[in-house]
């Protein structure tokens, strides 16, 4: 059986798709929010070196990625083990080597990967202006607002995605997510002004 | 040479009957599969599986079902040989005597 087909089958059997979708949105949002915080904080502190932002951002991305993976993997593994044990009790057989056992193990790993990759991914996207700035494409004064705009756009798009999967108003859901990002931006800007 | 076999199987809700029947139908020597769910519990369901073919390998069927997380409760009917012999009513059958 082809690899992708096998993965699709495991996702279907383990019913991990809705959980991984939740993990993806939740943690991708975390990633964007964290970088937004770092960037606005750097702006408030008057940092002029893009590498400070890049290294802080990368450090946070790695930490979020690893913590996301470990946390989700262990939680899912425990939950699925419990579910599998209950099913084994009903079936009166061992299911470890069956497709259900394999799908269950795959689901834990899958949830961990999604949980780990999503915040790191959005964090890296939001850090892109600083990478470009460090290569001389534009100044850090342009990279900061661009990064903030990218973080806010990411949040908005995550909201739109939520609206799409719930079959509701996509723009409204996007605006709700965007509002959270705007709160963070607003707080820091007020702090900067009152400094 | 098994041509038809009827099994009473206990299976979890997932993989679904569609997947189980598809997986069984792809086995060598199997030409047709019929899966009927006759009882559903919270975690598991009971299915009557009828498999017909030119040369059914029972061990393969058993292995595939176990791989899908199912277990055979009983083998309720087997038809083997050059052709299938259908069940007939005889005076010895309880229903015939009544």
């Amino acid at each position: 059986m082809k690899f992708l087909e096998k993965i699709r089958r495991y996702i279907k059997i383990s019913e991990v798709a809705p959980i991984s979708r939740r993990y993806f949105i939740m943690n991708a949002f975390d990633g964007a929010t964290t970088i937004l915080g770092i960037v606005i904080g750097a702006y408030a502190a008057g940092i002029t070196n893009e590498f400070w932002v890049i290294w802080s951002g990368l450090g946070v991305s790695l930490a979020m990625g690893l913590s996301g993976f470990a946390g989700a993997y262990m939680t899912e593994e425990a939950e699925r083990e419990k579910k599998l044990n209950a099913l084994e009790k009903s079936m009166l057989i061992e299911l470890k080597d069956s497709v259900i056992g394999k799908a269950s193990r795959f689901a834990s790993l899958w949830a961990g990967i999604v949980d780990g990759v999503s915040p790191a991914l959005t964090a890296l996207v939001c850090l892109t202006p600083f990478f470009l700035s460090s290569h001389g494409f534009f100044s850090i004064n342009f990279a900061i607002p661009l990064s903030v705009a990218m973080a806010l756009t990411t949040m908005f798009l995550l909201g739109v995605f939520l609206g799409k999967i719930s079959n509701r108003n996509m723009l409204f859901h996007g605006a709700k997510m965007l509002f959270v990002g705007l709160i963070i931006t607003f707080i820091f800007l007020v702090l900067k002004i009152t400094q | 040479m098994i041509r038809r076999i009827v099994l009473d199987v206990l299976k979890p809700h997932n993989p679904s009957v569609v997947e189980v029947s598809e997986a069984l139908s792809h086995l060598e020597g199997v030409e047709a599969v019929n899966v009927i769910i006759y009882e559903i519990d919270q975690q598991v369901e009971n299915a009557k599986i009828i498999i017909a073919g030119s040369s059914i390998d029972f061990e393969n069927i058993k292995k595939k079902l176990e791989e899908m997380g199912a277990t055979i409760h009983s083998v309720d009917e087997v038809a083997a040989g050059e052709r299938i012999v259908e069940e007939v009513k005889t005076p010895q059958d309880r229903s015939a005597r009544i």
Side-chain angles (χ1 to χ4, degrees):
Chain A
M1 192 186 284
K2 282 176 200 161
F3 182 68
L4 280 178
E5 206 177 307
K6 210 171 181 176
I7 286 183
R8 212 170 294 142
R9 190 179 180 206
Y10 286 164
I11 289 175
K12 196 176 167 194
I13 290 172
S14 61
E15 293 171 337
V16 74
I19 298 160
S20 49
R21 214 160 37 218
R22 271 198 293 274
Y23 278 145
F24 176 78
I25 302 280
M26 232 162 60
N27 293 290
F29 187 75
D30 268 357
T33 315
T34 308
I35 295 300
L36 183 66
I38 287 178
V39 173
I40 304 256
Y43 171 67
I47 285 170
T48 52
N49 187 343
E50 51 272 277
F51 285 102
W52 287 35
V53 182
I54 290 174
W55 283 110
S56 316
L58 286 180
V60 166
S61 303
L62 186 70
M64 277 192 300
L66 278 177
S67 113
F69 175 80
Y73 177 73
M74 286 191 258
T75 314
E76 274 302 309
E77 196 188 28
E79 279 295 328
R80 294 201 174 253
E81 192 77 39
K82 188 184 163 202
K83 213 172 154 189
L84 193 69
N85 284 342
L87 190 59
E88 281 181 334
K89 226 172 164 182
S90 302
M91 293 285 301
L92 299 172
I93 53 163
E94 263 203 15
L95 292 167
K96 207 171 61 191
D97 296 325
S98 73
V99 73
I100 301 158
K102 286 175 189 166
S104 174
R105 286 193 292 279
F106 169 81
S108 313
L109 194 67
W110 180 255
I113 291 170
V114 170
D115 207 307
V117 168
S118 55
L121 194 75
T122 46
L124 287 177
V125 167
C126 300
L127 281 177
T128 316
F130 292 96
F131 290 120
L132 295 174
S133 166
S134 70
H135 282 82
F137 283 93
F138 38 73
S139 74
I140 190 168
N141 291 331
F142 182 69
I144 290 173
L146 186 61
S147 178
V148 170
M150 283 176 88
L152 293 174
T153 309
T154 306
M155 290 173 175
F156 178 76
L157 290 176
L158 287 170
V160 168
F161 180 58
L162 274 185
K164 191 172 186 262
I165 55 172
S166 61
N167 271 333
R168 290 190 179 171
N169 192 328
M170 291 193 278
L171 286 178
F172 177 67
H173 274 80
K176 269 204 300 194
M177 288 285 222
L178 183 65
F179 182 67
V180 181
L182 287 175
I183 290 174
I184 301 163
T185 317
F186 179 73
I187 291 170
F188 269 93
L189 286 180
V190 169
L191 284 176
K192 170 79 176 164
I193 291 165
T194 53
Q195 232 179 13
Chain B
M1 199 158 60
I2 300 172
R3 289 189 168 271
R4 187 168 68 196
I5 189 161
V6 180
L7 306 168
D8 184 18
V9 167
L10 180 71
K11 66 174 280 301
H13 298 311
N14 259 322
S16 68
V17 271
V18 178
E19 283 171 82
V20 171
S21 54
E22 263 186 346
L24 290 173
S25 70
H26 289 141
L27 290 177
E28 213 184 307
V30 173
E31 284 167 11
V33 177
N34 184 316
V35 184
I36 304 146
I37 299 292
Y38 65 88
E39 197 180 327
I40 299 179
D41 286 333
Q42 199 183 356
Q43 302 252 26
V44 291
E45 52 200 20
N46 286 81
K48 176 182 174 181
I49 300 182
I50 307 166
I51 301 162
S54 50
S55 176
I56 299 163
D57 185 338
F58 177 66
E59 283 308 312
N60 268 353
I61 303 279
K62 200 176 153 194
K63 213 172 126 190
K64 183 51 83 180
L65 284 171
E66 280 169 4
E67 197 189 302
M68 308 287 281
T71 179
I72 297 174
H73 265 179
S74 60
V75 180
D76 294 342
E77 187 194 302
V78 180
E82 285 299 312
R83 59 190 181 86
I84 293 174
V85 180
E86 296 294 347
E87 184 190 8
V88 286
K89 273 186 182 159
T90 63
Q92 287 78 23
D93 291 329
R94 197 159 27 144
S95 56
R97 282 204 302 272
I98 293 166

